[in-house]
Amino acid sequence: MAAKNRPVVLTGDTPTGQLHLGHYFGSVKRRVEMQDSHECYFLLANMHAFTTRADKSEEIRNDCFDIVLDHLAMGIDPDRSSIFLQTEVPAISELTYLFAMLLPFNRVLRNPTLKDEIKVKGLGDNYSFGFPLYAVGQTADILAFRAHSVPVGEDQVPHLELTREVARRFNQMYCGVSDQAEDHEHVELGGVFPVPLADVGKIGRLVGTDGVNKMSKSLNNAILITDTPKQVRKKMGKLYTGRQSPTDPGDTDNALFHYVDVFIEDPDRIAELRDRYSRGDNIGDGEIKVEIAESISKLLEPMQERRRAYEGDRDRILAILKEGSEKAIASTEATLNAAKEAANLHFFDRTIRYS
Ligand code: TRP
């Protein structure tokens, strides 16, 4: 398909350090698969990281490099996709300011993802002004690219709802789109922004090696992309099922079989394991864990090889980010221009480029 006609996809991550298998199965795997069929933009939300860590700017900068490394390792191809820094794309900030005028403050604060974050991170009522603003910023991240769909986890759906509201409101206020128009008709009817869809992936949630919680680095139950076969075996070994003996009939509706389903590729082998486990046919948890660990390490091996090829070469990573950001600027400047024209804010043409 000609590059021009491919649907535009944008998604992003707040840089928080190294990625793990939960990220791979939750989102990155899909992104890798979309690279040929879609025009892909992957954003590093480094400004969003400042909402709660403004005092840790150096750490955030390092996290950006780590996350790019892991993305490249997992198969994001900089020749086909644009990986870029949020802070290098001026149109995003400019649209954030404009969109902030289209949203009642109370509407932003009603966003359940924000409320959750306030609770989970213990922010109380001491959060910065920029904290709720980031939700408006996220609508600009997406709309600046006129993205058609946004692959995200379930937790991001409220942000997409807000984004869809901004798109509709803008198109109605400044582009003469009727408030009766269907979402899919907005562009056809003269709207600057398509009303984008959240594209929530299927697996979404990988259970951690504690067998209970979602995989998460801070809960210490994550298998990192950089883990050696030995580390993987050790982590898998910790997965607790409560089963006593290889001859106990086991319930396959447990975390161990969640891993079997995700990581063992051969469906016949999965069926066999299920059958023998539930009959207690002399099959220990330990041997299944070893088999899963091997499968995981086989998946990680080419990732680690790619990671090593990029590691220690910050100049190469910077070049990838620069090129990605340049493409992001080209796309978003065109959008900003159209939005400014619609909102009677266009006075002069401009060109932005890096030296
Ligand atoms: N808020 C998202 C997260 O923490 C990251 C993000 C920022 C994002 N901008 C985005 C995701 C735009 C999708 C689209 O995971």
Side-chain angles (χ1 to χ4, degrees):
M1 230 189 295
K4 277 226 161 107
N5 303 323
R6 291 180 298 178
V8 177
V9 155
L10 174 128
T11 191
D13 305 274
T14 308
T16 52
Q18 271 191 282
L19 299 188
H20 51 65
L21 283 177
H23 295 110
Y24 181 65
F25 281 101
S27 57
V28 182
K29 187 167 185 258
R30 294 236 10 253
R31 300 180 192 178
V32 172
E33 291 161 359
M34 288 177 134
Q35 295 185 103
D36 281 325
S37 49
H38 293 72
E39 183 180 334
C40 293
Y41 294 96
F42 302 124
L43 163 145
L44 300 181
N46 59 331
M47 185 45 49
H48 289 191
F50 276 67
T51 54
T52 55
R53 292 195 288 155
D55 56 336
K56 307 221 167 61
S57 60
E58 200 179 327
E59 205 178 285
I60 294 171
R61 189 185 180 91
N62 282 325
D63 286 349
C64 287
F65 285 99
D66 263 338
I67 209 171
V68 175
L69 267 179
D70 279 336
H71 272 104
L72 296 168
M74 289 190 258
I76 300 291
D77 173 4
D79 290 333
R80 286 180 289 161
S81 302
S82 306
I83 311 174
F84 69 96
L85 292 153
Q86 192 177 43
T87 51
E88 288 299 332
V89 181
I92 291 175
S93 311
E94 293 174 60
L95 285 172
T96 300
Y97 207 154
L98 177 56
F99 292 162
M101 310 303 172
L102 304 187
L103 286 164
F105 191 44
N106 284 329
R107 167 64 187 94
V108 178
L109 293 180
R110 261 200 332 266
N111 182 323
T113 300
L114 286 193
K115 286 194 194 166
D116 251 24
E117 251 177 296
I118 291 172
K119 228 190 280 161
V120 172
K121 297 183 177 162
L123 304 179
D125 47 19
N126 287 320
Y127 50 80
S128 64
F129 192 100
F131 176 73
L133 184 64
Y134 103 73
V136 183
Q138 187 157 340
T139 72
D141 293 339
I142 297 163
L143 296 179
F145 292 85
R146 293 188 263 200
H148 302 102
S149 81
V150 185
V152 280
E154 192 71 51
D155 62 315
Q156 298 294 306
V157 169
H159 288 312
L160 258 296
E161 226 13 83
L162 198 68
T163 307
R164 292 158 60 75
E165 277 178 46
V166 171
R168 289 187 201 110
R169 200 155 302 156
F170 187 99
N171 293 340
Q172 287 160 6
M173 194 176 281
Y174 298 123
C175 313
V177 174
S178 145
D179 58 7
Q180 304 298 312
E182 302 279 345
D183 285 344
H184 66 88
E185 297 171 329
H186 272 238
V187 171
E188 210 177 295
L189 294 172
V192 169
F193 299 106
V195 182
L197 287 169
D199 177 0
V200 180
K202 267 207 204 90
I203 301 187
R205 183 188 144 109
L206 187 66
V207 172
T209 54
D210 57 4
V212 182
N213 297 297
K214 182 175 159 176
M215 188 174 280
S216 148
K217 205 173 163 219
S218 59
L219 293 174
N220 236 326
N221 65 1
I223 295 175
L224 300 181
I225 301 307
T226 49
D227 279 350
T228 62
K230 199 172 155 196
Q231 286 169 315
V232 173
R233 259 198 318 274
K234 195 163 163 218
K235 287 182 180 178
M236 281 311 301
K238 281 197 257 167
L239 192 88
Y240 179 73
T241 63
R243 184 164 169 259
Q244 300 292 337
S245 127
T247 51
D248 279 353
D251 182 358
T252 59
D253 189 19
N254 64 7
L256 184 64
F257 273 84
H258 170 70
Y259 274 83
V260 166
D261 288 340
V262 176
F263 293 105
I264 305 285
E265 276 183 30
D266 178 7
D268 293 338
R269 179 65 183 153
I270 296 178
E272 184 187 347
L273 286 172
R274 279 192 177 279
D275 175 56
R276 289 185 56 197
Y277 194 84
S278 52
R279 288 189 292 111
D281 180 21
N282 198 23
I283 182 147
D285 285 27
E287 44 184 309
I288 301 178
K289 288 177 187 173
V290 168
E291 190 169 333
I292 296 168
E294 273 168 12
S295 211
I296 291 175
S297 292
K298 213 171 93 196
L299 172 75
L300 292 181
E301 198 183 285
M303 295 186 187
Q304 293 173 354
E305 209 168 289
R306 273 193 297 264
R307 201 177 197 279
R308 269 193 299 275
Y310 286 105
E311 217 163 25
D313 194 351
R314 280 218 167 181
D315 286 347
R316 193 158 164 214
I317 303 286
L318 277 170
I320 288 168
L321 285 174
K322 188 173 180 188
E323 200 186 324
S325 301
E326 275 166 348
K327 287 191 199 140
I329 285 178
S331 165
T332 57
E333 282 294 298
T335 309
L336 182 68
N337 212 50
K340 280 177 149 182
E341 271 175 9
N344 291 304
L345 288 167
H346 183 269
F347 292 90
F348 313 109
D349 288 332
R350 76 177 188 194
T351 308
I352 293 177
R353 54 178 198 85
Y354 301 128
S355 52

